[in-house]
Amino acid sequence: MPQIPEKIHELTVGQLSARSGAAVSALHFYETKGLISSRRTTGNQRRYGRDALRRVAFVRAAQRVGIPLATIRDALARLPEERTPTHEDWARLSAAWRTELDERIKQLGRLRDHLTDCIGCGCLSLETCVLSNPDDVFGEQMAGSRLMPLRRPTEED
């Protein structure tokens, strides 16, 4: 990993990419999503503060455990500008995300179990399949992929 001298306080996008392991396109994407920020030189080149290294590491770690970028952005927005996320920041935020991740794990377990059932029956019936039509309250009343308004009998019927 290339070392950047301590006297350099700003990084080019190439330097940030090389140090963080994130592709330049990912860094540009993170910037458009408000996860990191840069300033522009007179030649319109991006320059990132050294804090961007830790912010990128924070974003990538959170993504690896399945945290959506919008949630990561909201978490980073609560930190003072120019301050890198600390170990304490990560501990506080990860504790808050734990409940969300636990619920997703339960949901994935249910999906896995239903997938096994689905493969076993092989029908893929839209009327009864919990994968194709989860939580279907109308499936008990009628079949089909859309709801049709119930026709009320008229005097002519």
Side-chain angles (χ1 to χ4, degrees):
M1 180 180 310
Q3 295 297 313
I4 299 169
E6 286 294 320
K7 65 183 177 182
I8 297 177
H9 298 288
E10 291 186 317
L11 309 172
T12 66
V13 70
Q15 289 170 324
L16 182 57
S17 174
R19 286 293 311 269
S20 69
V24 170
S25 59
L27 297 173
H28 290 171
F29 178 75
Y30 291 165
E31 190 170 353
T32 63
K33 296 298 180 186
L35 299 165
I36 59 175
S37 61
S38 68
R39 73 167 186 86
R40 296 294 182 133
T41 66
T42 55
N44 203 31
Q45 296 176 337
R46 288 178 169 94
R47 292 292 185 265
Y48 297 92
R50 292 181 72 91
D51 65 299
L53 279 169
R54 182 151 308 160
R55 284 181 174 257
V56 170
F58 183 93
V59 169
R60 295 184 76 193
Q63 280 186 295
R64 276 194 290 277
V65 296
I67 304 301
L69 284 179
T71 304
I72 298 168
R73 182 186 62 239
D74 293 344
L76 286 172
R78 288 187 226 127
L79 298 176
E81 196 62 34
E82 303 300 322
R83 184 169 76 68
T84 60
T86 64
H87 177 74
E88 291 77 22
D89 293 327
W90 179 259
R92 181 176 35 82
L93 293 168
S94 64
W97 293 337
R98 180 179 280 285
T99 303
E100 180 183 335
L101 289 174
D102 287 342
E103 184 54 39
R104 269 198 249 154
I105 290 167
K106 287 179 195 172
Q107 183 181 18
L108 286 171
R110 286 190 301 270
L111 286 172
R112 179 201 56 225
D113 295 344
H114 290 305
L115 180 62
T116 303
D117 295 342
C118 189
I119 291 171
C121 80
C123 73
L124 291 176
S125 168
L126 287 179
E127 291 180 35
T128 60
C129 183
V130 295
L131 290 178
S132 296
N133 205 359
D135 303 321
D136 182 18
V137 295
F138 294 107
E140 296 173 11
Q141 299 171 6
M142 65 181 74
S145 61
R146 60 181 170 198
L147 290 175
M148 300 287 288
L150 294 176
R151 187 172 157 240
R152 296 178 189 230
T154 64
E155 292 178 12
E156 299 172 0
D157 287 343

